[in-house]
Amino acid sequence: MGFFYKKKKEQLKSTTPPQSQTKESNDKQTLKTKLQDNIKIVKDTLGNSSDIIIREIQIGKGGVLKAGIMYTDGLSDTNSIQDFILESLMLDIKDAELKVELTPNPKIIEMIKDFAMTTGEIKEVTKFDQLFLSLLSGDVIFLIDGYSEGLIIGNSRWVERGVTESTTQTVIRGPREAFSENIRINTALIRRKIKDPQLWMETKIIGKRTRTNVAVMYIKGIANDKVVKEVHFRLDRIDIDGILESGYIEELIQDAPRSMFPTVYNSERPDVVAAAILEGRVAILIDGTPFVLTVPALFVQFFQSSEDYYQRSQITSLVRILRFFSFGIALLAPALFIAATTFHHEMLPTSLLISLAAQREGVPFPAFIEALIMEITFEILREASLRMPRAIGSAMSIVGAFVVGTAAVEAGLISAAMVIVVSLTAIANFVSPTYDMSMSVRMLRFIFMGLAASFGLFGVTVGLIALVLHLCSLRSFGIPYMYPLAPFNISAQKDTIIRLSIWKMFTRPDLISQQNIDKQQNPTAAKPVPPKPTE
């Protein structure tokens, strides 16, 4: 019975192929000789979509040749089609050779491409999969009756946001421009900053349905060849219907998908990506998103900002120490408060202990439940402020936190000290220059709170040991995640927790760039020379 059902299923599959299989078979076909056959296949495959414009024209002296123009309305520049394509084909072609042979002759296609087209990018097309990809990308397709090949004329143009100021990674001093959703604009922004012929870019298409353009950029001779090869290997393995944002790629190529810590860095600032490429990292640009991925990503990289290199080294070093200190506060402040007030009363001064006991006299919940209620409330307010309209989002978050906190204290549900601790934790979490690392801290904070409520400081210590072991076990495209802290590299400490002067940072990270690690050939020449005293 099972064999009969399987045989019947195979017969049905062979006799009634799905529409998608028919479409894919059409995509792999070569172009037909007759123009009407090609137009029919295009219309049938695209379902006679109303935004696909197909126009049949007569070209050559006396209009002896039938031709067809296809483009997608909204993705192509219609003015350029009228001025530089249709006018050239229908009015400017006067060569007598075009009125002769109607049989396939490559000379006519080459002549039109070389002498009649006034646009920049022109490619030949012989397959339907090339035709559909270019047509749905905004290019113009030109076909001639009697010829089994055509031309792809680059003419894509659509409404886009353009280059604006970054909204997620703001700086006081530095460039204001940010990436846009157009991959060609993004690559141009990087090319504008790195005018090196060794800056290579390799483009591939990912997504069976979306056919998204993905570009890999790196400097040949600086980037590690093994990392570049691994990036291509992981990208080529992706088999998915659609790529709509860089988060798809990030989740599919990351090293530790179950880890809370990000192993792929993303940024919407061209200066950040250019600096990463100069250090030997590989940039991955995805069409349709302003966020560019860079690999490998290290733990200390998420505490560095582009503004660190635009300020003096003393200011930058102080700010970086403040960021690491804020990371500890955001991660451990509620847990340490719970452990001290629940298990370790002897660690608190007597006056502080009496004050806390007086505040908690009427509170019906233990410290862990207090912290859990306040943390969840702040997370709700934070997410609500992000999703609400921008005009009232910030006001609602401030008013909501103030009203909820004050009302909870006055009602006797939460102690005032707990409100202070949770508020300080939330503020410290915003010090991180990257959103991904702050999200990791937000999740880990609840785990440490549970350990503190269960085992006190012993549980917090065990949690810290497990966290350090986990971080040391992570890798990003073969590079240890905690480098240069573990493994410890004394020469790489010039730009880790503190930043020395630029003239002292004359080498790149040696584990990232293993080919050319020298950034300055003569570092002493860049050292500032104090002025001589005047006599």
Side-chain angles (χ1 to χ4, degrees):
M1 185 68 181
F3 174 79
F4 174 80
Y5 176 78
K6 182 178 180 180
K7 193 72 174 178
K8 188 69 174 178
K9 186 177 180 180
E10 291 178 355
Q11 290 178 356
L12 290 174
K13 185 176 181 180
S14 61
T15 55
T16 58
Q19 185 178 359
S20 60
Q21 293 182 359
T22 305
K23 178 182 176 181
E24 291 178 359
S25 62
N26 288 337
D27 290 347
K28 297 178 181 179
Q29 291 180 2
T30 57
L31 293 178
K32 307 299 181 183
T33 304
K34 293 185 178 180
L35 176 63
Q36 292 299 326
D37 294 342
N38 293 327
I39 293 177
K40 184 178 185 304
I41 292 176
V42 171
K43 288 183 177 180
D44 293 343
T45 305
L46 298 178
N48 288 317
S49 300
S50 58
D51 61 339
I52 305 298
I53 308 301
I54 301 176
R55 181 178 175 184
E56 299 182 41
I57 58 176
Q58 304 284 336
I59 64 172
K61 189 173 183 179
V64 295
L65 287 178
K66 293 182 180 180
I69 294 289
M70 307 177 187
Y71 63 93
T72 304
D73 190 16
L75 297 181
S76 301
D77 187 358
T78 55
N79 293 328
S80 298
I81 295 175
Q82 177 66 33
D83 297 336
F84 301 110
I85 298 178
L86 290 177
E87 185 174 347
S88 298
L89 291 173
M90 301 178 68
L91 301 179
D92 297 341
I93 296 180
K94 302 297 183 181
D95 201 320
E97 291 187 33
L98 293 180
K99 71 176 183 178
V100 293
E101 309 174 40
L102 295 180
T103 57
N105 184 358
K107 288 183 61 178
I108 297 180
I109 298 292
E110 293 179 2
M111 184 179 302
I112 293 176
K113 181 176 68 173
D114 296 337
F115 299 103
M117 293 296 177
T118 57
T119 56
E121 182 182 2
I122 300 177
K123 297 182 294 185
E124 295 184 3
V125 57
T126 58
K127 303 274 187 184
F128 273 103
D129 55 352
Q130 298 175 302
L131 184 148
F132 287 122
L133 177 60
S134 300
L135 178 62
L136 298 176
S137 298
D139 297 330
V140 177
I141 307 299
F142 173 70
L143 302 175
I144 301 178
D145 189 23
Y147 298 86
S148 59
E149 61 179 330
L151 295 177
I152 298 174
I153 306 170
N155 194 56
S156 59
R157 181 181 179 183
W158 52 82
V159 178
E160 55 193 11
R161 183 168 58 96
V163 180
T164 58
E165 186 174 352
S166 174
T167 57
T168 60
Q169 298 175 341
T170 57
V171 295
I172 297 176
R173 179 177 180 178
R176 304 296 180 184
E177 59 189 6
F179 289 120
S180 69
E181 286 74 15
N182 191 330
I183 189 174
R184 193 53 60 224
I185 292 178
N186 297 341
T187 56
L189 289 173
I190 298 177
R191 290 276 188 192
R192 178 185 173 188
K193 294 185 178 296
I194 305 177
K195 304 176 181 66
D196 188 352
Q198 296 300 314
L199 178 61
W200 289 10
M201 183 180 69
E202 303 173 17
T203 305
K204 54 187 64 189
I205 297 174
I206 301 179
K208 293 183 292 186
R209 304 297 178 185
T210 59
R211 310 284 286 174
T212 305
N213 290 324
V214 177
V216 178
M217 297 188 72
Y218 60 95
I219 298 180
K220 183 66 175 178
I222 294 181
N224 192 335
D225 292 336
K226 294 182 180 180
V227 174
V228 175
K229 184 178 179 180
E230 182 67 20
V231 170
H232 285 290
F233 173 72
R234 297 189 186 185
L235 291 176
D236 292 337
R237 289 182 58 190
I238 297 177
D239 186 11
I240 192 173
D241 279 350
I243 300 294
L244 302 178
E245 213 274 336
S246 60
Y248 286 68
I249 300 291
E250 179 179 353
E251 191 169 352
L252 291 170
I253 67 173
Q254 61 184 346
D255 288 75
R258 294 183 178 86
S259 177
M260 296 183 184
F261 290 92
T263 55
V264 178
Y265 189 84
N266 67 81
S267 176
E268 65 170 346
R269 295 182 58 87
D271 56 337
V272 174
V273 177
I277 293 176
L278 290 172
E279 285 187 343
R281 291 182 169 88
V282 180
I284 305 173
L285 298 88
I286 297 92
D287 192 21
T289 175
F291 289 92
V292 175
L293 308 178
T294 57
V295 294
L298 307 181
F299 178 77
V300 295
Q301 184 181 357
F302 292 91
F303 295 90
Q304 299 173 355
S305 173
S306 61
E307 196 175 7
D308 294 351
Y309 304 93
Y310 309 145
Q311 300 284 359
R312 296 195 305 273
S313 59
Q314 298 88 345
I315 300 175
T316 299
S317 300
L318 177 62
V319 172
R320 282 192 182 175
I321 294 174
L322 182 63
R323 288 176 190 151
F324 282 98
F325 183 69
S326 300
F327 173 79
I329 293 177
L331 182 65
L332 298 175
L336 294 178
F337 184 81
I338 293 171
T341 56
T342 305
F343 295 99
H344 309 283
H345 297 173
E346 67 279 358
M347 297 182 60
L348 302 176
T350 305
S351 58
L352 178 60
L353 182 61
I354 293 174
S355 175
L356 293 176
Q359 294 178 21
R360 292 185 46 80
E361 185 176 358
V363 177
F365 306 111
F368 174 69
I369 301 301
E370 276 188 89
L372 195 62
I373 292 174
M374 289 303 299
E375 286 289 346
I376 293 176
T377 303
F378 269 91
E379 294 296 333
I380 292 174
L381 289 173
R382 182 183 304 178
E383 288 299 317
S385 63
L386 291 176
R387 311 305 169 203
M388 293 179 67
R390 186 172 300 178
I392 62 175
S394 58
M396 283 298 297
S397 61
I398 297 174
V399 173
F402 177 77
V403 171
V404 171
T406 304
V409 173
E410 293 180 354
L413 299 176
I414 306 295
S415 62
M418 184 60 72
V419 174
I420 295 174
V421 171
V422 174
S423 301
L424 179 62
T425 303
I427 295 172
N429 200 22
F430 286 110
V431 177
S432 175
T434 55
Y435 183 74
D436 291 343
M437 185 58 68
S438 64
M439 287 293 297
S440 302
V441 175
R442 287 165 64 179
M443 292 185 289
L444 287 171
R445 188 187 306 147
F446 290 97
I447 297 177
F448 278 95
M449 287 167 53
L451 292 173
S454 302
F455 308 103
L457 289 179
F458 176 76
V460 175
T461 304
V462 172
L464 283 175
I465 295 174
L467 177 62
V468 172
L469 292 176
H470 172 69
L471 289 174
C472 292
S473 67
L474 294 178
R475 288 180 173 267
S476 178
F477 286 79
I479 307 299
Y481 191 59
M482 293 300 293
Y483 177 83
L485 300 176
F488 186 78
N489 188 341
I490 187 64
S491 63
Q493 302 302 317
K494 301 174 183 178
D495 191 21
T496 306
I497 298 179
I498 62 173
R499 182 182 77 81
L500 300 183
S501 300
I502 292 180
W503 63 270
K504 292 183 179 180
M505 297 187 299
F506 51 87
T507 58
R508 299 182 179 89
D510 53 357
L511 280 186
I512 297 177
S513 176
Q514 298 180 351
Q515 301 187 61
N516 182 6
I517 65 172
D518 294 329
K519 292 195 293 186
Q520 302 179 40
Q521 299 301 326
N522 187 10
T524 58
K527 181 179 179 179
V529 179
K532 296 181 179 180
T534 57
E535 297 181 357

